[in-house]
Amino acid sequence: MTYEFDFQSVLAYWPMFLDGAWTTLQMSFWATLVGFVIGVLCAVARSGGPDWLRRAVGVYVEVIRNTPLLIQSYFLIFGMANVGIRMPIMVGAILALVINIGAYTCEIVRAGIESVHKGQLEAAECLGLSPVQVYWHIVLRPAIERVYPALTSQYVLLMLVTSILSAVGANELFGVSNSVQANTFRNFEVFIVLWVVYLILSVMVRAVFWLIAQLVFVRRRKLGTPL
């Protein structure tokens, strides 16, 4: 049996694919931005905070990293609605992404913080730097610089994982494709288009993170260390 491809009927829905891709990028942007801030704060707390705070952050990290994102999103959007806390689907989807990526960011940044040698801290103190200056210039910035490639990969994966949230009604790229499939009955062609679009989005996101690295990590660029 010979299969005849028909991309024309699928590509006729390019405005829907474009809207879905834009929604995917918006979700990824806000989740990455807020999740990065939460993750860094949690990493700082887990590395040098009081014992009770380290334990609380540890519970948050372990609970989120050991449960599926889909379950977390169902809990936030539908589970919380049962107790009277209702939120729009897109808000709940982005919140689920933020909470999820915050936990992974925390562990990645914590690994970077713990890689800083104690001798560097002692040298900074001998130079008369304040505790805030020591932590910012000697600990946090170098730590983020070291783990930046891992963070980049995690945030690209986050963008791809947004496709899961179509199951809770998020109208992102994969959610839009379901409507196209229902209208055209050309599932194979739709998946090929999705594959190409997600590939393009991944390359674009990696390019943006590379440009950020060139602007932020000047010292590493001067030393010729790859990012």
Side-chain angles (χ1 to χ4, degrees):
M1 182 177 180
T2 303
Y3 184 83
E4 294 185 4
F5 288 95
D6 180 16
F7 284 99
Q8 186 174 0
S9 60
V10 173
L11 295 178
Y13 290 88
W14 67 266
M16 293 180 62
F17 284 113
L18 189 61
D19 288 341
W22 177 240
T23 301
T24 294
L25 289 176
Q26 286 182 307
M27 293 172 64
S28 303
F29 172 78
W30 289 113
T32 297
L33 182 63
V34 181
F36 174 77
V37 174
I38 292 175
V40 170
L41 293 177
C42 289
V44 171
R46 200 172 187 190
S47 299
D51 186 62
W52 66 268
L53 186 56
R54 290 200 302 268
R55 290 179 181 273
V57 173
V59 170
Y60 156 65
V61 169
E62 292 305 316
V63 168
I64 296 302
R65 293 178 70 209
N66 290 287
T67 54
L69 172 62
L70 187 58
I71 300 300
Q72 297 163 16
S73 60
Y74 265 100
F75 175 81
L76 287 172
I77 297 172
F78 303 120
M80 298 296 286
N82 290 330
V83 295
I85 303 176
R86 301 181 182 276
M87 63 184 74
I89 289 178
M90 288 302 297
V91 173
I94 294 174
L95 183 58
L97 289 172
V98 167
I99 294 173
N100 186 272
I101 198 61
Y104 285 93
T105 299
C106 173
E107 286 301 277
I108 293 173
V109 175
R110 184 171 71 93
I113 291 175
E114 294 180 353
S115 70
V116 177
H117 197 276
K118 291 183 178 180
Q120 293 178 274
L121 302 178
E122 295 171 356
E125 292 173 357
C126 292
L127 292 174
L129 297 179
S130 67
V132 174
Q133 289 176 319
V134 170
Y135 202 85
W136 175 249
H137 294 288
I138 309 302
V139 178
L140 193 56
R141 287 185 63 182
I144 294 176
E145 191 172 331
R146 288 191 181 102
V147 300
Y148 189 78
L151 287 174
T152 297
S153 297
Q154 192 65 50
Y155 294 143
V156 172
L157 180 61
L158 169 71
M159 186 272 296
L160 298 175
V161 165
T162 58
S163 59
I164 295 176
L165 298 178
S166 62
V168 296
N171 202 29
E172 43 68 63
L173 182 59
F174 193 83
V176 165
S177 73
N178 291 330
S179 299
V180 177
Q181 291 179 60
N183 292 334
T184 62
F185 300 101
R186 309 301 298 188
N187 295 1
F188 193 32
E189 289 87 338
V190 169
F191 286 129
I192 292 176
V193 171
L194 280 180
W195 180 78
V196 173
V197 174
Y198 275 118
L199 181 61
I200 293 173
L201 292 180
S202 297
V203 172
M204 288 173 53
V205 171
R206 286 189 179 276
V208 169
F209 278 110
W210 181 84
L211 289 174
I212 292 173
Q214 299 304 304
L215 295 173
V216 176
F217 303 129
V218 179
R219 181 184 66 86
R220 196 165 199 177
R221 190 174 71 247
K222 288 181 178 179
L223 293 174
T225 307
L227 288 167

